[in-house]
Amino acid sequence: MRDPLSKAERSALMARVRATGNRSTEGICEDTLILAGIKGWVKHPSEILGRPDFYFAGRKVAVFVDGCFWHGCPICQRRIPTRRRKFWVTKISRNRERDSRVGRKLRAKGYKTVRIWEHELRTRSWLSRLSLALQRKRPMRSKLAKKADEKCR
Ligand SMILES: [Zn+2]
């Protein structure tokens, strides 16, 4: 897939990311959106359930940037500290439950949700996913639903 950023923009972005060191995942995401020229978003709108990190009102797309540790990323599987292990396990599983509950409710109300893992920010794959979500006016209908429609005819 094509990189929406030019070579110069990409290296400028990477330099900024490096320079800021422990910059928040949200900050990195924001920089990328700006450099990629993706507009029309606000941060943490209080009127939208779950207060997404970025929200595109025109397209009803809610974007959440999840820290791999805090949201229990299945790919990274960060080690849970042995001290107060129970506390961490409970905390992370509560976060995961909330994430899926919020996602379900938003989608039921016609919003599209895009979840970006912290580890995904190392590449640009999430930008393509986001662009796709912003292009589609409506969520794609499942093949199953289409088949059911055909049968009814
Ligand atoms: Zn991860």
Side-chain angles (χ1 to χ4, degrees):
M1 233 167 268
R2 213 182 134 260
D3 188 345
L5 303 183
S6 74
K7 224 174 167 186
E9 285 168 337
R10 169 69 50 194
S11 59
L13 171 70
M14 295 325 281
R16 267 174 87 186
V17 170
R18 274 195 301 272
T20 48
N22 257 347
R23 189 129 163 64
S24 72
T25 49
E26 192 192 307
I28 295 169
C29 198
E30 186 176 356
D31 286 350
T32 310
L33 289 177
I34 293 167
L35 278 169
I38 298 174
K39 291 173 186 151
W41 45 269
V42 291
K43 291 207 296 183
H44 307 293
S46 51
E47 73 276 15
I48 306 297
L49 182 74
R51 295 190 72 225
D53 294 303
F54 301 94
Y55 178 64
F56 296 79
R59 294 283 184 201
K60 287 183 85 173
V61 172
V63 179
F64 296 89
V65 189
D66 295 336
C68 288
F69 175 75
W70 292 105
H71 296 263
C73 169
I75 289 169
C76 297
Q77 295 188 341
R78 292 263 175 91
R79 279 251 296 284
I80 293 168
T82 40
R83 258 194 87 202
R84 302 181 70 208
R85 188 181 162 81
K86 210 176 161 192
F87 165 81
W88 292 112
V89 169
T90 310
K91 178 127 188 96
I92 292 166
S93 74
R94 276 199 192 134
N95 284 345
R96 293 195 61 152
E97 280 162 24
R98 195 187 51 226
D99 292 344
S100 62
R101 194 171 55 239
V102 164
R104 272 199 311 274
K105 282 187 179 171
L106 284 174
R107 287 189 294 276
K109 286 181 183 174
Y111 294 92
K112 279 178 279 181
T113 56
V114 176
R115 286 207 167 266
I116 301 166
W117 287 109
E118 178 187 354
H119 73 255
E120 285 185 281
L121 296 174
R122 291 197 293 260
T123 68
R124 53 194 167 278
S125 59
W126 65 272
L127 258 185
S128 318
R129 274 202 294 131
L130 175 64
S131 307
L132 220 63
L134 291 172
Q135 277 162 24
R136 277 187 211 135
K137 289 201 170 104
R138 265 182 244 165
M140 286 243 286
R141 301 188 53 214
S142 72
K143 277 184 185 163
L144 222 64
K146 275 183 197 159
K147 264 191 186 155
D149 274 2
E150 282 162 16
K151 272 184 188 168
C152 289
R153 258 178 233 151

